[in-house]
Every structure is written in C-alpha cells, then in structure tokens.
Amino acid sequence: MDDLRLSLLLNAVSPQVGGVLVRGEKGTAKSTMVRALAGLLPSIAVVDGCRFACDPAAPDAQCPDGPHDLGLPDAERATRLVELPVGVSEDRIVGSLDLERALAEGVKAYEPGLLAAAHRGVLYIDEVNLLNDHLVDLLLDAAAMGRSYVEREGVSVRHAARFLLVGTMNPEEGELRPQLLDRFGLTVEVAATREPVERAEVVRRRLAYDADPEGFAERWAQEEKELAVRITAARSLLPSVVLGDPALRQITAVCAAFEVDGLRADIVMARTAVALAAWAGRTDVIAEDVRTAAQLALPHRRRRNPFDAPGLDEEKLEQTLEQSAGEEPDGGPEDDGPGPEGPPDGGGPDGPSGGGQDAPEQEASGEGAEAAPSRTAPAPPQPAAPAASPYRTRLLTVPGLGEGAGGRRSRARTDSGGHTVRAARPTGALQRLHLAATIQAAAPHQLARGRDGRALRLRRDDFREQIREGRESNLVLFVVDASGSMAARQRMSAVKGAVLSLLMDAYQRRDKIGMVTFRGSDAVLALPPTSSVEVGAARLEQLPTGGRTPLAAGLLRAHETLRLERLRDPRRRPLLVVVTDGRATGGPQALPDARRAAQLLAAQGTAAVVVDCESGPVRLGLAAELAQHLAGEVVRLDELAADSVTHLVTDLIRSKQKEAA
C-alpha cells in the first residue's frame, strides 16, 4: 500500500509521469485509494463557461469553445475525478456530433466526451483489463499526447486532454497486452495484509466510517489538508529540480541492464526521479530517487511474454546502480566486465536444465527395478514434461457471425469498434444512428412534408441504424490428452508447446480459456473458464501424463463445461480445441463411446478443431475421424504454426491438380 500511495502522490506532483496502473487481488481498497486522491488535489482556475476546462492564464488555442481572450472572467472549481465504466462506448469517450441540434436546427455541433471532462483532472478506469482494446489504445494515445483528436460523423475537433491516468485491475481476470502496459508510467502490486492487527484496524476504520461518515472525514481532515499543502509545495518546487549527469547515467544504465524495449522507460524514470526529489523537498536527484523510480517504472516493462510475472531483480538493480555510480562518461573498454549473473550457459549439471535431462535416464535404469509396479496395477503418472518454446499459431475461428464481447478472434456484430458494413431499419430500439443514411432516406420527402427552414422533418421510418462488424472474443476450451500414448517425453513437450502457443494466441485475442485433461479412467476440469492465461500456463506446466485414454470422458466433460458456460454467458461462442492422437482405450466400447460423445458436441453446434498429435511413419488417422464426428477441422501438430499455412495451401493446390489430372 505504501508504493500505491507514493505512486499516486508522484503523479499528483507531476502528471507527466504518465499515470499509474494498480494491480491487485479483489478487496484490497484499490478504488478507495484512487478516489481519495481527488480530494487532495488543489482546485483549478477555468475559463468561465468553457466546457473543456481551459486555463485562463494559458487557454488552448484550438479549444472548440474558443478563442478565449486573456481578459475573460474565470472561475475556480475542484479538480474532477472522471470515472470510466467498463461498458463505455467510443463516442462517449471522445465525444460526437450533437444529433439533437444537427437534426432539429441543421447545425453541426460537437458534444464533448469524457476526455474533455477529465482535462486537468483525474481519469480513473476501474478494471482496465476488461476494457476493449481499441478503447484502451484511444485513451493511452490521448494521455501520451495530451490532446484528443476527433474525426467522425463530419466532425473535426482538437482539444486538450491532459489528465492523471489511473487504472486498476485484478490479474486473475486477465492481463493487459505488454504494449498497453508500457503506456502506463508506473505500476504497483497491492495485496491485503496478512497481519491480524493491521486487518483489524482496517475493519475498525471501515465500521467507523459506515457509522458516521461526516465525523470520520472530520477526524482526518487536518491530515488531508497537510498532505494537500505538501503536494502544492512539491508542484511549485518541481521546475527547480535538476537531474544531473550522474543520476541520468544511472537511469540509462539500469534501463539498459534490464533490457527494456524503447526509451519510454528512461524518460518515465527520469520524470519519476525528479518528482521524488520535489516530493522530498530537494532540488537535486540522488541515487535513492533513481532506485525508487526503477522499482515503480520498470517491473511491468520487463515482461517478454504474457506468462512472465512482473517483477524486478533487486540484487541486479543494486549492482547496476553501484557500477554506474563510479563510471565516467567516457569510460573505456576496461570498465566492461562479466555481468553479475555469471556465465550464460543456462546452468550446470546440478541446475534445472541438467537435472531435467537426467531424470528420464535415472528412471529407466535398473536400480529401482524392484520397486516397479506390477503389470496389473495402474501406471503411476510420469513426471511432467517441460513445454517446448511457444510460437505464433494459425488463426482458429468460430464460423458464422457472433454477437459476443469485443475481441480479436471471430467475426461478430458489434456496438463499438469494427467498421460499418451497412445501414438498416431498426428492428427494436434505435441503438446507433446512421446519420447519412437517415438524412438520405428523409431527403426526398422534405417538400411533401412542408419543410420551411434548416431543420429536417423526420418520421420514424426514416431512421437508419448502423450495422457494424468487428471481432469478438470466444471461450477457447482445450481438451488435452494426457494418457500413456502421449507420454513420450519429447512428444509431450511438443504438445505442451503447442497448447502454450494457443494459450498465448488466446491471450492476445482477449479470449476466455478453460482446460479439460483426460488420462487413466476419468477426465477432470483442470482449469475452469477464466480470462487469466497465466493460470492456464501454470496448470499446463504441471500436467502429469500416463495411463489409459478415456477420450469419451474428456469429450463429455467438455460438453458439460460448455453447457454451464452457455448459461452464464450465452453470447460468448465456444471454440473446442481437442489435442489428441485420436486413440481411445479402456474396453471395446471406448471408441464408439468417444464417437457418440463427439456427435453430441456437434449436435450442440460447437465449433471444434482437432490438433492431431499422431507421429511416425504409420498413421491410423483416428484424429481425422474424430474431427468428422465433431463436424470440425483437423490440424496436424506440425501444421499449427502460422508459417505453415503457405505449405497447407500449396499441398491443397497440388492435390486439386492431381484430381484434375
């Protein structure tokens, strides 16, 4: 909580830091602390009557309500905290054409959005990870440039949009993409304290607030006033703070040592270090400022893939700061030495890689033969094989046109984002007006309706609605065969690498994921449907293998899981990905039962893809038969990579040529 408090205060002192992303589990008072910040910010002077909160001392030359003369009367108001709901639309964020005035008066007027309301204030996004990607891009671009650009519905507007951006999220509900994480200046991790005394104090204060909100606020009013005065003083001191060359060298050395992409991290660290010095009442930046700035600005920028947890190696940070503190600007090659992390050979024979390679040989040796189970006993699970390196996979989609939550996988009708494909008469309540089509439908009837001014005469059947098409996210349910036929270590590593690649693809396309595994005599729901691919990757890494192949049980478990999910979220279409070689063991009815289970899924209209893991010169083709019963497609494991699509097209062309010959 101390880091969260400090990050919010630093952004209050210097909004150029770039905002803060608060990551933490539910119930950790993230939203409470953010909302409390607005009360600490000093009031601002605004041009009286300006909807865009222009500063009377330096009004925006491009303000839509301008131009403002310097002699205009001004007003003073409290700094605003503008909250952005998860279901917000794009036109509500950036603003749009004032339809009422356009249709009634025939004038083109702009209705400001939430970005205009947040100018010179705080823009708070709760559950930012659940916001549609194109909306997050729009918000972060405005925050980075300090200006909102609106080009839509015949409106061309520019206005200032400088605000303190604060987002909160629960990582269990899904992650932000790395390129979006990078746009937040600072990030902090919050968690509820495990100390009973501290937890009791939190509960005590909450109960006191519920009993007497005004009295509780009055009790802490003096402390809040002192904090607000300190923020104002730090803002005044900020222009006088000097970032010297030694501190700047430390900043760039730390960013280089942690291999962060681009130079945004260097700039954010520099601004944060300056704000830290101002907050401490100093005019020079010291090494402690650089250390704290690195701890706040770098953890979320070090991620290389969605499964890397944010974090910073404190020992490496200290070593880098010590080394860079003694360097001269023109340091020669003699200053370069081996890195603090030792040789880059990936570990010795006692390390993780060495131990992992030796394990199968030790198991296969004869030293433990007397402890081997009898042939009639069920085979114990084999040690979990490591996953191969992930890669970019082919795009797997659900056929047809859906109406689910925004994403990047399957085609869908959408109310936000995407593009307009046509206009149509609304079948129910008008959701999104297609202005041009409405005017075009009404124009031929204006003389007959007695139009005598600039305003249009409209009737209900003139209105046209935008039909927009974009992409939706889906529920990708993996059904993974973990039986003995898949248990060859090299083969299972390739299978896990393929599933890991599909998990990464699902993360990038904003899908929900779930995982069913089957082995031995039953199937289990290893991962209930969730938006957190990190959990899925962890469950996959620990997946044991061995035993029989209850394929029917796996498919039936998938059927039940999808049935329940349709009740919870009926608009989200599922995509079933079955990873197997198609074998089914456990009795003479094993294969017929699997076929009936597949047909049951197909009867429900479940889109399915079978990833064929069969290898070797002799192939039985059972996975392809399973795909036919599922009414889906089959993809061989070695054809799953995106760069194999060209080979698939080439093979298809050759087969067609052979048929024609």
Side-chain angles (χ1 to χ4, degrees):
M1 285 299 180
D2 291 339
D3 285 346
L4 174 55
R5 181 177 183 273
L6 178 60
S7 297
L8 292 173
L9 291 172
L10 292 178
N11 275 275
V13 171
S14 176
Q16 288 186 328
V17 167
V20 57
L21 175 65
V22 187
R23 297 164 46 92
E25 58 194 16
K26 54 185 178 294
T28 50
K30 302 186 295 294
S31 302
T32 302
M33 292 196 68
V34 173
R35 293 188 178 100
L37 175 67
L40 301 176
L41 298 177
S43 58
I44 60 173
V46 297
V47 174
D48 192 20
C50 178
R51 297 173 297 169
F52 299 86
C54 280
D55 186 351
D60 180 16
Q62 294 182 308
C63 177
D65 285 354
H68 301 303
D69 297 330
L70 294 179
L72 286 176
D74 60 311
E76 187 170 304
R77 63 167 174 79
T79 300
R80 288 176 178 167
L81 173 69
V82 177
E83 296 194 38
L84 198 75
V86 172
V88 70
S89 61
E90 182 178 346
D91 55 356
R92 186 69 187 95
I93 294 176
V94 300
S96 62
L97 181 67
D98 189 335
L99 294 177
E100 183 178 352
R101 295 188 61 190
L103 298 176
E105 304 174 20
V107 298
K108 185 169 63 176
Y110 173 68
E111 181 69 21
L114 294 177
L115 290 181
H119 179 47
R120 303 176 66 197
V122 181
L123 183 64
Y124 171 48
I125 313 172
D126 194 14
E127 305 294 351
V128 62
N129 52 323
L130 302 182
L131 205 62
N132 286 338
D133 283 350
H134 75 284
L135 298 181
V136 178
D137 286 332
L138 187 154
L139 290 167
L140 296 180
D141 285 342
M145 295 184 294
R147 186 164 292 276
S148 176
Y149 296 86
V150 185
E151 299 285 349
R152 55 185 302 151
E153 299 167 343
V155 175
S156 179
V157 173
R158 310 281 192 276
H159 68 82
R162 293 184 296 275
F163 45 81
L164 196 167
L165 179 64
V166 182
T168 60
M169 60 173 286
N170 182 354
E172 295 178 356
E173 297 173 342
E175 284 284 358
L176 276 174
R177 289 181 287 139
Q179 55 267 46
L180 299 183
L181 280 172
D182 184 59
R183 302 300 290 270
F184 281 94
L186 311 178
T187 186
V188 291
E189 297 275 345
V190 295
T193 177
R194 300 294 185 252
E195 292 294 330
V197 175
E198 295 180 1
R199 295 173 74 96
E201 181 62 23
V202 172
V203 175
R204 187 178 296 111
R205 292 189 184 184
R206 177 57 197 243
L207 294 177
Y209 173 81
D210 292 340
D212 183 10
E214 294 182 359
F216 184 87
E218 185 178 353
R219 193 195 329 171
W220 297 97
Q222 182 60 33
E223 185 173 335
E224 288 189 354
K225 184 178 179 180
E226 294 174 356
L227 200 56
V229 170
R230 185 177 175 185
I231 291 174
T232 303
R235 281 188 172 185
S236 301
L237 184 62
L238 189 68
S240 304
V241 177
V242 177
L243 179 64
D245 286 343
L248 183 57
R249 285 198 302 272
Q250 284 186 315
I251 290 172
T252 55
V254 168
C255 292
F258 284 100
E259 300 179 350
V260 295
D261 296 330
L263 295 174
R264 184 176 284 121
D266 306 63
I267 297 172
V268 171
M269 273 190 64
R271 291 172 175 169
T272 305
V274 170
L276 281 163
W279 178 248
R282 289 182 274 100
T283 57
D284 59 327
V285 176
I286 61 176
E288 184 60 31
D289 297 331
V290 176
R291 178 183 293 103
T292 305
Q295 293 169 340
L296 297 175
L298 292 188
H300 61 300
R301 292 185 166 89
R302 293 195 60 248
R303 301 183 63 176
R304 285 295 179 265
N305 64 63
F307 313 122
D308 291 340
L312 206 63
D313 187 337
E314 295 289 343
E315 183 178 352
K316 183 177 181 179
L317 174 62
E318 292 297 330
Q319 292 176 346
T320 304
L321 288 173
E322 292 176 2
Q323 291 176 358
S324 58
E327 290 182 355
E328 296 296 329
D330 56 349
E334 65 271 14
D335 294 329
D336 297 329
E341 297 178 343
D345 58 357
D350 296 330
S353 61
Q357 296 294 332
D358 293 339
E361 297 178 5
Q362 294 172 1
E363 293 170 4
S365 65
E367 295 177 0
E370 65 276 7
S374 65
R375 294 185 178 181
T376 57
Q382 298 182 8
S389 299
Y391 48 83
R392 190 167 64 91
T393 64
R394 294 173 52 187
L395 173 59
L396 306 177
T397 61
V398 178
L401 196 63
E403 296 181 348
R408 305 179 65 191
R409 183 172 296 278
S410 305
R411 293 175 56 229
R413 299 185 187 91
T414 178
D415 293 331
S416 60
H419 59 282
T420 302
V421 293
R422 60 187 175 89
R425 284 191 174 92
T427 56
L430 181 64
Q431 299 293 330
R432 182 180 290 270
L433 179 70
H434 195 300
L435 181 60
T438 299
I439 295 175
Q440 186 176 8
H445 308 291
Q446 294 305 297
L447 292 178
R449 295 173 184 174
R451 179 185 176 188
D452 55 2
R454 299 182 65 184
L456 289 173
R457 291 184 177 271
L458 297 175
R459 294 179 180 174
R460 181 174 179 81
D461 57 355
D462 294 331
F463 288 101
R464 298 294 184 270
E465 188 175 36
Q466 293 184 32
I467 305 299
R468 301 176 69 86
E469 184 176 311
R471 293 279 174 176
E472 67 174 359
S473 62
N474 299 110
L475 167 60
V476 183
L477 181 63
F478 296 94
V479 181
V480 182
D481 185 349
S483 63
S485 63
M486 304 281 289
R489 191 171 184 81
Q490 184 176 2
R491 184 180 180 188
M492 197 60 198
S493 294
V495 170
K496 285 189 175 182
V499 178
L500 193 65
S501 304
L502 290 168
L503 282 172
M504 184 180 296
D505 181 70
Y507 161 80
Q508 294 168 342
R509 301 188 187 280
R510 314 301 290 167
D511 296 316
K512 290 182 70 174
I513 61 166
M515 187 183 302
V516 171
T517 63
F518 57 95
R519 57 174 295 274
S521 60
D522 198 7
V524 296
L525 181 60
L527 178 67
T530 177
S531 296
S532 177
V533 295
E534 292 180 346
V535 178
R539 300 285 173 85
L540 179 69
E541 192 68 27
Q542 300 166 4
L543 179 65
T545 57
R548 294 179 176 178
T549 311
L551 179 57
L555 296 176
L556 290 174
R557 178 74 65 166
H559 176 268
E560 179 63 16
T561 303
L562 295 179
R563 185 186 68 82
L564 294 176
E565 283 302 308
R566 284 191 182 97
L567 297 176
R568 296 190 183 101
D569 190 357
R571 296 181 61 188
R572 189 183 295 271
R573 297 189 295 165
L575 175 62
L576 184 69
V577 179
V578 185
V579 184
T580 182
D581 55 9
R583 301 172 187 265
T585 59
Q589 289 298 315
L591 191 56
D593 288 347
R595 291 170 179 169
R596 282 192 290 270
Q599 292 166 359
L600 181 62
L601 284 161
Q604 296 294 324
T606 305
V609 176
V610 178
V611 179
D612 185 2
C613 302
E614 192 174 27
S615 60
V618 179
R619 297 175 181 267
L620 302 179
L622 296 176
E625 291 183 14
L626 177 63
Q628 290 179 354
H629 291 290
L630 285 167
E633 63 173 313
V634 61
V635 179
R636 282 172 43 185
L637 186 62
D638 55 0
E639 297 172 345
L640 191 60
D643 55 6
S644 67
V645 176
T646 303
H647 301 296
L648 289 173
V649 174
T650 304
D651 293 341
L652 180 61
I653 293 174
R654 288 176 179 174
S655 64
K656 293 295 184 183
Q657 290 174 345
K658 289 181 180 179
E659 292 177 1

